[in-house]
Amino acid sequence: MFRIFIKPLLFAFSPETAHNIVARLLLLLSYIPFSRHIIRLFYRYSSPSLEREVIGIKFPNPVGMAAGFDKNGELYNQLSDFGFGFIEIGSVTPVEQPGNSKPRVFRIPQDNALINRMGINNKGVKSVVSKLKQNKPRVIIGGNISKSTASRNEQAPLDYEKSFAQLYDFVDYFVVNVSCPNVKGLTKLQDITSLSEIIDKLTQLRKYFDDYRPILLKVSPDLTDEQLDEIIELILVSGLDGIVATNTTTSRNNLTIEPQQIESIGDGGLSGAPLYSRSLEIIRYISRKTGGQLPIIGVGGIMTPRQAEEMLNAGASLVQIYTGFIYNGPGFVRKILKHLSKKSLC
Ligand SMILES: Cc1cc2nc3c(=O)[nH]c(=O)nc-3n(C[C@H](O)[C@H](O)[C@H](O)COP(=O)(O)O)c2cc1C
């Protein structure tokens, strides 16, 4: 049904328009009596073998929605009906920002990939908090935070602190995004001096709250082994709770389309199938370096249930999908979960 009817229809629109149509439909559907139950009946899949405890949180299953799909915290409950075990909202910045000019998302169907340069468009942390207050989450929520595009890198720690403090009581865990290639200078925050300042500020601030919220760091697939080593060491000594690997890549490796086509799209982060091998490699590397002790959320190019399994086997405790959901449709989560439960991986 998705492949024959819905996908061609949605793919007739630009990626951003298609996303907005889907978002509106999901919100509309929630006003129709029993629709939620019907969706859950078709798409959810639960099994005790899929449950797992990671970063001190009990997850009903290990498959989450990656950051960027529900930037403003408007769809998490609707998305959870499609079987996700957790939803990462954001990236959220301290104030609303429009992101880059459109068009800023591009499909590459031949390669099951997307290139985006959204630039962390979002309605700001106040709006997200009000949504979380109005609409109590029925699913585990990760709060992905970033600095504002307008803020200089020296102001970044304060930006992260602002969103962290305001979101604290409303999310289950945090992800510090320093790896989005579409915000000028952001990936430079992966430099160890900048990073330790941000992490230090957040872990200090966390002490003022009664409840403990795990903090994870989201890294780029474009880091060198040396950079990764430094980051891993920092995470281990600073009391961070885990790592999300990986964000999108600026590399154009593994694309089969013509170089002119790649060039005509321009800058942006590549996600989907071409990213998979690099994300997997990074996860293996981190797992080996930490003796499997550091919780890893694996993300990047999962397009088949077998790849989700492979990422978990490589050392990820949980996985996330984004581009795979766009290309495979809403039944993809259930397919992965059924596959994993058969493998008794979890
Ligand atoms: C359109 C789009 C927007 C994204 N926005 C964000 C974001 O705001 N923050 C973030 O940390 N990652 C963002 N991502 C990256 C995803 O969370 C994920 O790390 C990446 O797409 C790789 O996973 P995938 O191949 O399954 O899509 C975005 C990805 C896409 C495609």
Side-chain angles (χ1 to χ4, degrees):
M1 168 100 155
F2 175 78
R3 259 167 223 274
I4 297 170
F5 297 111
I6 301 174
K7 188 173 169 185
L9 198 68
L10 284 175
F11 275 35
F13 295 94
S14 77
E16 211 170 334
T17 307
H19 180 91
N20 293 337
I21 292 173
V22 168
R24 292 257 162 102
L25 279 176
L26 287 177
L27 290 174
L28 260 177
L29 268 178
S30 53
Y31 291 103
I32 300 173
F34 303 115
S35 63
R36 202 187 136 212
H37 297 90
I38 296 167
I39 293 174
R40 286 165 68 95
L41 203 68
F42 275 103
Y43 291 107
R44 279 181 76 99
Y45 184 82
S46 41
S47 156
S49 69
L50 292 168
E51 293 166 11
R52 48 174 55 193
E53 189 167 334
V54 185
I55 52 170
I57 299 173
K58 274 196 169 154
F59 290 79
N61 72 62
V63 181
M65 171 54 93
F69 193 95
D70 187 14
K71 284 180 183 292
N72 298 306
E74 291 162 337
L75 299 169
Y76 45 82
N77 280 336
Q78 285 78 5
L79 286 173
S80 80
D81 292 336
F82 291 97
F84 288 106
F86 59 109
I87 310 283
E88 198 169 300
I89 58 170
S91 294
V92 183
T93 54
V95 286
E96 178 168 10
Q97 60 180 35
N100 294 321
S101 55
K102 295 178 188 173
R104 50 193 180 178
V105 194
F106 305 85
R107 285 186 204 103
I108 310 171
Q110 302 94 311
D111 289 312
N112 283 325
L114 293 174
I115 288 180
N116 93 82
R117 49 171 174 272
M118 300 291 279
I120 312 199
N121 55 307
N122 76 103
K123 295 183 181 167
V125 68
K126 272 203 181 75
S127 161
V128 175
V129 167
S130 85
K131 294 283 176 202
L132 288 161
K133 278 184 184 165
Q134 274 167 27
N135 201 4
K136 201 167 163 24
R138 298 189 291 258
V139 58
I140 293 163
I141 301 286
N144 180 309
I145 54 177
S146 179
K147 86 167 182 76
S148 294
T149 305
S151 302
R152 292 193 314 275
N153 276 6
E154 306 83 76
Q155 300 166 304
L158 189 61
D159 271 12
Y160 286 98
E161 277 181 297
K162 283 181 189 164
S163 301
F164 184 77
Q166 291 181 67
L167 275 173
Y168 202 91
D169 289 328
F170 305 98
V171 298
D172 298 289
Y173 71 90
F174 281 96
V175 174
V176 178
N177 177 14
V178 282
S179 47
C180 172
N182 305 311
V183 173
K184 200 165 162 268
L186 191 79
T187 51
K188 289 226 168 63
L189 294 176
Q190 291 175 117
D191 157 71
I192 223 66
T193 319
S194 314
L195 204 50
S196 29
E197 201 187 335
I198 296 167
I199 292 174
D200 197 42
K201 287 268 172 16
L202 297 182
T203 48
Q204 289 301 325
L205 189 54
R206 176 164 65 178
K207 292 183 183 152
Y208 291 96
F209 291 90
D210 291 337
D211 295 326
Y212 186 88
R213 298 278 181 269
I215 308 172
L216 294 86
L217 186 76
K218 185 163 181 178
V219 294
S220 161
D222 303 327
L223 294 170
T224 61
D225 286 356
E226 292 72 34
Q227 288 172 311
L228 255 178
D229 288 344
E230 284 186 339
I231 289 177
I232 291 168
E233 200 180 323
L234 179 66
I235 290 179
L236 294 176
V237 297
S238 66
L240 276 204
D241 302 86
I243 196 160
V244 181
T246 67
N247 213 315
T248 56
T249 175
T250 55
S251 146
R252 297 297 183 254
N253 290 345
N254 304 332
L255 283 175
T256 61
I257 56 168
E258 296 296 319
Q260 303 95 288
Q261 261 180 293
I262 300 177
E263 212 164 288
S264 70
I265 292 173
D267 289 344
L270 174 68
S271 60
L275 176 58
Y276 180 73
S277 54
R278 179 61 184 151
S279 297
L280 186 68
E281 183 180 32
I282 289 203
I283 290 159
R284 277 214 178 100
Y285 186 84
I286 299 169
S287 180
R288 204 178 57 240
K289 280 270 163 176
T290 59
Q293 294 308 301
L294 185 68
I296 304 170
I297 300 184
V299 52
I302 295 176
M303 306 303 286
T304 66
R306 176 76 191 86
Q307 288 175 328
E309 179 197 350
E310 192 175 27
M311 234 181 223
L312 290 166
N313 281 336
S317 304
L318 303 165
V319 292
Q320 292 177 321
I321 55 170
Y322 187 142
T323 309
F325 191 67
I326 306 291
Y327 279 96
N328 292 307
F332 189 42
V333 187
R334 185 183 164 95
K335 268 193 198 140
I336 298 176
L337 295 178
K338 278 181 97 168
H339 176 83
L340 294 180
S341 74
K342 265 191 234 138
K343 299 277 165 185
S344 294
L345 240 180
C346 306

